[in-house]
Amino acid sequence: MATTKTDPKLALAANGGKKNKVYEGLTREQLIQAYRLMYTSRRIDDREILLKRQQKIFFQMSGAGHEAIGVAAGLALKPGYDWFYPYYRDRALCLALGAKPYEMFLQGVGAADDPSSGGRQMPSHWSYPRLNVVTQSSPTGSQILQAVGCAEAGRYFGRRPGAALPESPLLAQDARNGAPAGGVDYRQFHHVTFQGDEVTYVSLGDGTTSEGEFWEAMNAAALGKLPVIFCVEDNGYAISVPVEVQTAGGSISRLVSGFPNFHFEEVDGTDPGVSYAAFVRAAQYCREGHGPAFVHAHVIRPYSHSLSDDERLYRPDSERERDAARDPVTRTQMFLLREGILDDKGINQLEKEVEAELQTAVDLALEALPAPPESVLKFVYSPDIDPTSSAFDTQPGPPPEPAADGKKPAGKTMADLINSTLRDEMKRDERIVIFGEDVADASREEYLKRKLIKGKGGVFKLTFGLQNEFGADRVFNSPLAEAAIVGRATGMATRGLKPVVEIQFFDYIWPAMMQIRDELSVIRWRSNNGFSCPVVIRVAIGGYLTGGAIYHSQCGESIFTHIPGLRVVFPCNALDAAGLLRTAIRCDDPVLFLEHKRLYREPFGRGAYPGPEYMIPFGKAKIVQPGTDLTVITYGAVVPRALQAAQKLEREQGVKVELIDLRCLNPFDWDTIAASVGKTNRVLVAYEDTLSWGYGAEIAARIADQLFDHLDAPVRRVAAKDCFVPYQPILEDAILPQPNDLFLAMKDLAGY
Ligand SMILES: Cc1ncc(C[n+]2csc(CCOP(=O)(O)OP(=O)(O)O)c2C)c(N)n1
Ligand SMILES: [Mg+2]
């Protein structure tokens, strides 16, 4: 182990003997503590391996070989003050921060009292809200962007401490002015804490540096000079893939060295002293606001990748023996003996104490009960705020006064009312931040200040004017990186911010899919309500654009309604967009808010500005027109097309169609569907997405299952052909459902 650079003899004299000697900033007592933590970590792994072989736990992932770097980080950083996004090998880090061995065994057995997940996640998926250790998942690398967002949130609250209050002073002001106080709001359930000089720690393995999200996170942290410490724990392998096949040139330090604003460290991560010193320097750099830090720690992996892996299949003994010679636990023990910090008796005593503690912890954990099976659906959504409730059912404000000339004011488009809803909500809630591609008025703010330009505000101009009004720290452009948009937003929301982010086109949402499917929608459930991240993702969706072609016209909403934990909303007119967007912002769940591009500025569905408190509960359909002969269930841009077809059918054949606009796809309004089908006995489900496996398939299946006795005709669907949307308008028309397709299907069903 390396020691401080001071001449040892001088240091001894100055410190009055070896007792006061300091090793890389660690006292002798701290070194003993470090060894105790490292030894505890290794022995927990050993006990878990045994328990797995006895089939008392169901999975094992070891932190063996990574103990020194973890303890070093844990001693250099502050639990409950700094923030932590560790990965599965960070057992020693978590112990150093204050997690208990008993808590780890509870996760192993899947106990109800497991503080990380209540038995929902594998062991080594750390989550300790009291320590600011944020729930971790299994996809390698999906934690990194969230750590960046977490750091951004800390900085935001540091600059705008008023935003951290449960309700902003602005809201109280509103109330004094006699305006409605605002009712239910996610802020009541998101207590914010922040520290001016906090640091966010995130760790990952060498293999994980190959993930795109790692590079997006490095870029975002460098751009924002954010206080994030990236720790790469390089054990030379990703399961069986060695580093030279993973990382061009074999050194991640070399590859990242060009990132500006970073502090870099490359250390022997099996040495707790040098690792500690590196973390102290890294933390100081971050706390002082210079930017992020990168700690590249060379470690070993003595226990194979996991219990399901046998590394002897791809690593010869010679290589494994070379690693074993660097084992951090034995090296540290030897160091303590050599330096006279502990003698054999002292080591034995310490190890006996640890063994006794672990025995008690294992015995207790084995008695712990699992959560009752009926509790497993808890926390898919917020237990505190129900966005389907009447609290979100408010009336529009009075219509605007007619102009002086007596003319009725022109109806507002969906684009207008989305913009005004965002504006009103930002005024009311300082925790709202908006970012995405091109959403700012102009990143080069001086042009705006000098009034040289008007500003852009989104490719569809939905966020126009918001940066101008609320400032560039609340409305800003992100790099062109969709995973980063959603991942950063998730980290911010975990800290209590309300990011309302934009994905420019639905067609480009896919890079963010890992963040949406495996992180955003599952964080509350997997942490057993320990953490939540109610982000709103606004997405421009849909075709009928004449020229939009494949990559600007896709639908695909059923892929997202298939995700538990995610609310999916799809309004078709201006008022619904305003009311549902406000509910999306004030509620406590992640929401995918789908905005049909074709409907942004259509004459169809314009409405008057409904005031700043107008909300529509989720899961309440709208009967666009009542009818008695046939039910048509649809949403989005098919609503006006179905209405056109229904009116023609009534004109020509006297058939009265009940047209239902679902407006909200998850949850959806089963009661309205059932009541209507019970009345008409005939039903058509229509949607713009491709027919097979689409959203309407689920609705049709449920009707067939639960309303079979009411049906006088088969449940029919009209949707796009199972193909892509082409560029040439004639071809586009052939693919997407047209009013005439709807008319023919309605007519056929009515006459069945
Ligand atoms: C996105 C993703 N792809 C694949 C896996 C399967 N997997 C789990 S760990 C792992 C290797 C990780 O290697 P590294 O980042 O070097 O970390 P180490 O396990 O070596 O500490 C792989 C491929 C995963 N969990 N997530
Ligand atoms: Mg590795």
Side-chain angles (χ1 to χ4, degrees), residues 486 501 503 509 516 520 535-539 591-594:
V486 176
V501 296
I503 296 290
I509 200 168
I516 295 172
L520 180 72
V535 172
V536 179
I537 308 175
R538 294 182 36 252
V539 190
V591 181
L592 187 71
F593 193 83
L594 301 171

Side-chain angles (χ1 to χ4, degrees), residues 66 87-89 205-208 233-239 241 301:
H66 294 232
Y87 90 120
Y88 46 82
R89 302 236 189 261
D206 47 290
T208 300
E233 299 180 19
D234 183 352
N235 54 23
Y237 275 94
I239 308 187
V241 182
R301 194 197 68 184

Side-chain angles (χ1 to χ4, degrees), residues 122-168:
M122 291 171 156
S124 299
H125 287 54
W126 323 111
S127 175
Y128 301 106
R130 71 179 189 282
L131 306 173
N132 291 353
V133 174
V134 181
T135 170
Q136 289 308 294
S137 60
S138 299
T140 59
S142 53
Q143 74 277 23
I144 316 171
L145 286 164
Q146 292 170 33
V148 170
C150 170
E152 289 179 283
R155 192 164 69 184
Y156 184 88
F157 286 123
R159 289 180 182 166
R160 291 175 173 267
L165 302 173
E167 284 186 348
S168 87

